[in-house]
Amino acid sequence: MTTATVSRWDRFRESFFWYSFKRDKVAIASFAVLLLMVLAAIFAPLLAPTDPYDLAQINIMNSELPPVGMSGSDPAFPLGTDAQGRDLLSTILYGTRVSLMIGFGAVILQAFLGILFGLLAGYLGGKVDAILMRIADVQLSFSTLMVAIIVGAVFKASFGNLMFGEIAIYMLIFIIGVAEWPQIARTVRASVLAEKKKEYVDAAKVMGFGTRRIMFRHILPNTLSPIFVIATVQIANAIISEAALSFLGLGMPETQPSLGSLIKSGFDYIQSGSWWITLIPGLVLVVLVLVINLLGDWLRDVMNPRLYKG
Amino acid sequence: MTSPLVSIRGLEKRFDLSGSLLEQISFEGGRFRRKQEAVHAINGVDLEVQKGEALCVVGESGCGKSTVARTVMGLLSPSAGEIHYDGQRIDNLDGKAALPYRRKMQMIFQNPYASLNPRMTIQQTLEEPIRFHHPDWSQTQVRDKIHEVMHSVGIDPDWGSRFGHEFSGGQRQRIAIARALAVDPEFIVADEPISALDVSIQAQVLNLLMDAQESRGLTYLFITHDLAVVEHFGTRVAVMYLGRVCELTDTRTLFATPRHPYTQALLSAIPKLEDDRPNHIRLKGEVPTPVNLPSGCVFHGRCPYANERCRQEVPQLIATDGGTQVACHAVEEGRL
Amino acid sequence: MALLEVKNLDVRFAVRGGDLTALRGISFTLDKGERLGLVGESGAGKSVAAFSILNLIAKPGYIAGGQILFEGRDLAAMSERELRKIRGNRIAMIFQDPMMTLNPVLTIGTQMVEAILAHRKISKKEARAIALDRLQKVQIPSPEKRLDQHPHELSGGMRQRVIIAIALLLDPEIIIADEPTTALDVTIQAEIMDLLLNLCEQENVALMLITHDLGVVSQVTQRMLVMYSGRIIEQGPTREIINDAQHPYTQGLINALPQMGEPGERLFQIPGSMPSLKNVPSGCPFHPRCNFATEQCKHAMPEYVRSGNVNVACYEVANLIEQEKRMQEAES
Amino acid sequence: MLAFLVQRISQALLVMFVISVIAFAIQDGLGDPLQEMVGMSVSEEEREAIREELGLNDPMVVQYLRFAGNALQGDLGNSYFYSKPTLEVIAEHLPATLELVIGASLIIVFLSVPIGVYAAIRPQAWLSKFFMGVSTVGISIPVFLTAIVLIQLFSIGVTVNWFPSDTGWGQWLNDFFTTEGGLPSYGRGDELTHLFGTWESGFFTGTGLMHLVLPSVSLASIMLPLFIRLIRAEMMEVLQSDYIRYARAKGLSAGRINFLHALKNTMLPVITVGGVQIGIMVAYTILTETVFQWPGVGLMFLEAITRSDIPLIVAYLMVVGLIFVITNTVVDLVYGLVNPTVKLTGKKA
């Protein structure tokens, strides 16, 4: 068995994928930064100086302290504090964790729905295709953010603020996942349609293989690389969507902050000159999204330059 | 005469173009009309493939030859007509009932770059059909079978762990043939199996197909546009034009005495090495689209011998004294 | 002096891990009104050769060395601006796939008139008259109407006629046709080839025909070049090569044709396939597939030797000629 | 042509039907008109009577039909908060949003085409790489953050003393980053020109235009990079095509090849995608309007959510849905008219 794994590893090391990664400084740097941020988020409870969820650790006297290097700063709070006196570094670490969880969670849901519906629509065609794609069209023409805002608003109105706060993280994964499935479904459908015409599929039919076997064993593996590319970009989009929803007050509550709700909570104080409460989490968000987008761009160039414009 | 292995009876195939009801509505001459359009790919084809022969179907693009192949293999369902295999009707079978015929009938495709699953190794490509059709076979039996077919198409069995893209076009076509042979078929439909290959590779693959026919007693339905290949490979030839068979005869007779005016033009269009100067029979116009079929004989618009009857009445395949079956009024009336 | 003389042309593709040589040391001439065939299988470099003459090779390809002398001026060393005066004007091209060659959003008339106006200072009306005349020459039914149509309204055969008409617009000296009939049906192929042949004869235009079809070459051209793996391995009068090919590859190519074999018998086959540019064998690139290969063939590309009117790059042929010479000497 | 028209319009009607069903479901599921009308002190029997009178006990289908019928007559109920017909409220707020979208669209159109084309023609030039780099950063910044940063930079006066002020360059840098006053960042200003109906325009006064600058720029900031990338990608693909190589073989000038042959083929797909994107921009107006307190429908919608003003939410959905459907249909029709290969039967030739 070891020989097989070694040969797979060798194959990977000889692949164009690895080759172009090694040569692309931007991709390497982006990957390093992303890895660092993901690790920091995973180990936030160990790394963070304080626990922002623990009310006992918060002192309102420490509110709106500026980051180190500015007059009035406290070395105990390297990035300063927010309006409630929470250590900004800790809230950012925890907030990144929440943002990443929602980003990945939403994309896993999207990918599940998108792959399933895209595969069904593309392979079965006919009425299934027409219905699924019409739904996708309507949703897309409405813009995913709009759909997410509406669904979020409906949820918020029906659950009330308190209840919504408790289940917000699952709600957001659900909202963003459901709002964005058409993106992946369309990509999958397009590549299924292209693959379906290829003769290896006919060859499988001629062999008498069943529809499910052909769909999942023969076609699906060949549509994975575009899915991979779009899923990467979708993680970035999901994180932005989460931030936007939180910013509008339809996302994570301030007691359980994500990067978006941190930005929102700081926005009220920006007029009073406490710019760091907004702009530092904002910077972290931009860097996070940017490195994911850069990796997505690189992946697209490697896997298929013609795929996914825009 | 023994009963045919495969018989195609009154086959018709239409592809609907008009889409949903709304797309069919048009506004003409002051009123709404519902217009339904379809591609008439095959319009009544009767063919019988005898055991052990290689029946070639030739024609230009859009004549329906590939549709015949795909309908016979069950990749498309006929709009009308029947397909029989060894006396049993098979076009209406589904799922389990069709499985035995899936094994007995196999297909080789045109494009060797698309006919192998890019995510599967050669080993997996060959193993899957064997296991599927012989779930009771042991590991060794399966492996021996894979070795046997790879050997017989001239691919080193040690290359099993490689992927399709690591091979050249000719080698891929060999692997595709091996996949078809892996389930021990009796009948093979080959849809333009060599037209995507280079000349020197074409010869290799044709030889391979002829060897397999000899050693395994295969029957072929061979689809091609290349008459030179037909002359070399075919036992009998069916010439198709716009979804109909216009001439059906054994190969030698066709090349010696082509009867249908279309066959004659087609034969004269082959660039030959011996000629110094081409001497083509020039046809008027171009092949009409199979959407709006001409009335009467589908060839009348381009035929130099067409008369009023050709424009009105559809000619049927009629046997002539040379044994050739021709669908042409001019031949029937002795004008040609 | 030849109208076109290509000398030692090298074309490379700049790809990851260094350059690939697509053409190596290509030399040939084309005289006024001559019809020359360029034959080879896919990957032999025949299309690259055709496109490099007007320096239209797609990136990452580039001309790495050699000269392309047209009326004595080197096209390979010319600036883009100077080259533009020759493209479409003195040397016209016909592409392989008529469905992809014409711009889908512009009318036939626009695409014809713009080609004239790019090279001649005349009015649009005069240009339109020329366009109409050429459409008549290629025997398109109702040419007037075609000028205002878009390409998708025409069939493949019609489009290729339009493209031939565009090639003739400015009475060029040379037409380079890259597989002009491959994408068309058999009967249409024959008609287009007839048309092209007749027009070239009538107008005394030199034709460089790129094709993989030996039948077409033998019917249309006077001289031919056979390419293998980026090299010309045999060149000379078409009839002489078709009837008595010297190079083992050319022989194999001709003998592999079904029309050369007895019906039902095995065909002559060349083993293996053309190497990819990434791993061209050393020495004579054909040696791994050649029945006559010797140790010598593996080390250096053979020089051209003359046999009759044919130039061949093969050690085996060279040795045979040498032997013959010695025998003759011995006799005398 | 007519078939095409009929087909597209019936499609649009179908979509509107779906939207109305969703809107009705939201109204039915969330809004309890009784609570708003009568308060808590009314007995259960009285409530039941009013329910009956209002038709709230009718079957769903009947209720929906009544809803749809009213909607068709322009009646989408009264806003709880504003206490007047919801459509009137929306009509008051719509001009502000539309002007914002127009302002952003102008910025997008005038910048994306030249930049996208340039980046496609000279992909290796440093300026192209710079533009593409900036556009990647651009799509990575959420629109509300751009808005906040713009306010921070151009609107709020900031005194900077980050750099040591005793050195010349330090003082220079401090001065450089210090801003005073700047562009307005709140509302539309008070000098609006009344055009017609409820339309008050900021386009015709200096302050009105000044107020429009920052919101339009932030709204454009999210779409501009997308359009640049789209145009570049389409154009690069077109430049690879056989007909471009053929145009070169004809000896045409680079200008004619790039700006006629290539650009015309590039703009066709851009029109379709672009039309959809303009619809999508309406969603981003919610974010932009929130940051800039821009009195448009986006801000109105968000306030309606916090105030649980269900009729207004529903009306907004219907109106925005209608706008999307109309833009998409118009874009489809325009595409059909512009592209010669679409025969206007709904199918590509």
Side-chain angles (χ1 to χ4, degrees), chain B residues 60 198 204 207 211 232 286, chain C residues 42 155 187 265-267 270:
Chain B
E60 298 177 272
D198 272 321
Q204 295 173 5
N207 284 341
D211 292 347
H232 192 80
E286 303 198 16
Chain C
S42 52
S155 69
T187 52
E265 295 297 306
R266 280 180 66 91
L267 290 164
I270 310 174

Side-chain angles (χ1 to χ4, degrees), chain C residues 29 44 86 127 145 160 173-174 180 227 242 294:
Chain C
T29 61
I86 290 173
K145 203 177 89 189
Q160 203 60 310
E173 267 74 34
I174 302 174
M227 294 191 68
I242 295 286
T294 60

Side-chain angles (χ1 to χ4, degrees), chain C residues 51 56-58 80 84 87-88 93 95 100-106 110-111 114-115 118-119 150 152 163 166, chain D residues 241-254 256 260-262 264-265 268 339-343 349:
Chain C
F51 281 105
L56 284 168
I57 328 164
E80 188 74 12
R84 211 162 68 211
R87 288 179 186 156
M93 283 197 75
F95 285 22
M100 308 290 282
T101 311
L102 293 171
N103 193 324
V105 300
L106 302 176
T110 310
Q111 300 190 53
E114 68 175 4
H119 300 287
H150 284 95
H152 67 94
I163 288 163
I166 294 178
Chain D
S241 64
D242 253 12
Y243 56 79
I244 295 297
R245 184 139 80 138
Y246 183 63
R248 299 218 296 144
K250 286 201 295 189
L252 302 184
S253 66
R256 188 168 175 95
L260 181 74
H261 284 253
K264 206 167 174 187
N265 280 289
L268 285 175
N339 189 349
T341 57
V342 174
K343 271 192 186 160

